[in-house]
Amino acid sequence: MGQTYAAIEGRIRTFIEEQPVYFTATAPLAGDGHVNLSPKGRKGSLAVIDERTVAYLDFGGSGAETIAHLREPGNGRITLMWCAFSGPPKILRVHGTGEAVFRDDPRWGEYIGYFAEADGPSARAIVVVRARRISDSCGFAVPYMDYREERTQHAEYFGRKTDDDFAAYCEKKEFVGQSVDGLPALPLPLPPRTDVA
């Protein structure tokens, strides 16, 4: 039987921190808009900030649908989901509201410290999620899968770029400045980082 939880603490927090992959889901307010579902990984790119807040480092390399949906006035809805692919079966969801903290935001320096292991040239935003509902379900139909290792291609590819190179990359990429539905997404030109002198 599924349960709801008042806080991200104890075994719930441990479960989140042990999973190598999770998923984010957002949607625009328009009924005919595109729902977005994204896999997330990369070790060290997710942090539990407190008992009702999680955050993750948003990297370049794809579109910016999540950012656009979070920025849409009156929206901000987001769901994060983790599945146990090993050990006891479990699916955990955090339903909440999200905010994209951009590189020129005064809070960037405060949040980026949570991601020292994953930070790099491709960091374009930090998504902060405040939980409204924390719940789990059985996960009995989720298959067992073995985790082998991290993929390094993303970090290696962007690790060869300067910040100026990355900014130019973002400006050329379709659906980064706006979503597929035309909503404002990542601010372009890419803001400079507030934590770099």
Side-chain angles (χ1 to χ4, degrees):
M1 288 292 293
Q3 298 182 58
T4 58
Y5 302 91
I8 301 167
E9 59 187 5
R11 63 188 176 87
I12 298 301
R13 179 175 182 151
T14 299
F15 177 77
I16 287 172
E17 293 175 339
E18 288 177 346
Q19 303 316 304
V21 65
Y22 61 100
F23 303 87
T24 67
T26 59
L29 293 174
D32 62 349
H34 291 79
V35 174
N36 187 62
L37 176 63
S38 296
K40 303 291 181 186
R42 206 153 156 202
K43 189 173 183 180
S45 65
L46 176 84
V48 177
I49 307 297
D50 62 40
E51 63 183 21
R52 301 288 293 180
T53 310
V54 296
Y56 68 86
L57 199 52
D58 179 79
F59 296 111
S62 61
E65 297 300 300
T66 299
I67 289 172
H69 299 157
L70 298 181
R71 291 185 70 190
E72 184 182 20
N75 194 345
R77 300 165 301 158
I78 187 169
T79 299
L80 279 63
M81 183 183 78
W82 296 262
C83 298
F85 295 111
S86 62
K90 179 190 282 291
I91 299 169
L92 180 75
R93 290 179 181 87
V94 170
H95 299 264
T97 55
E99 176 188 12
V101 175
F102 297 116
R103 295 155 40 117
D104 59 347
D105 188 302
R107 297 170 297 164
W108 177 272
E110 168 195 343
Y111 282 117
I112 199 65
Y114 287 99
F115 308 104
E117 186 177 3
D119 186 18
S122 63
R124 61 185 189 181
I126 298 165
V127 175
V128 179
V129 178
R130 289 170 183 85
R132 282 199 228 163
R133 185 173 194 270
I134 305 157
S135 64
D136 66 10
S137 55
C138 68
F140 291 164
V142 175
Y144 284 108
M145 290 192 281
D146 294 326
Y147 171 74
R148 197 167 70 199
E149 63 187 13
E150 292 283 306
R151 293 183 194 263
T152 60
Q153 293 95 325
H154 187 272
E156 290 166 357
Y157 175 78
F158 286 105
R160 294 188 293 269
K161 294 188 178 301
T162 66
D163 204 53
D164 288 341
D165 293 338
F166 179 57
Y169 170 90
C170 289
E171 291 209 47
K172 291 181 198 169
K173 198 99 164 106
E174 189 177 23
F175 304 125
V176 167
Q178 67 176 15
S179 74
V180 296
D181 297 312
L183 297 171
L186 190 71
L188 296 175
L190 189 68
R193 289 176 58 147
T194 57
D195 62 322
V196 177

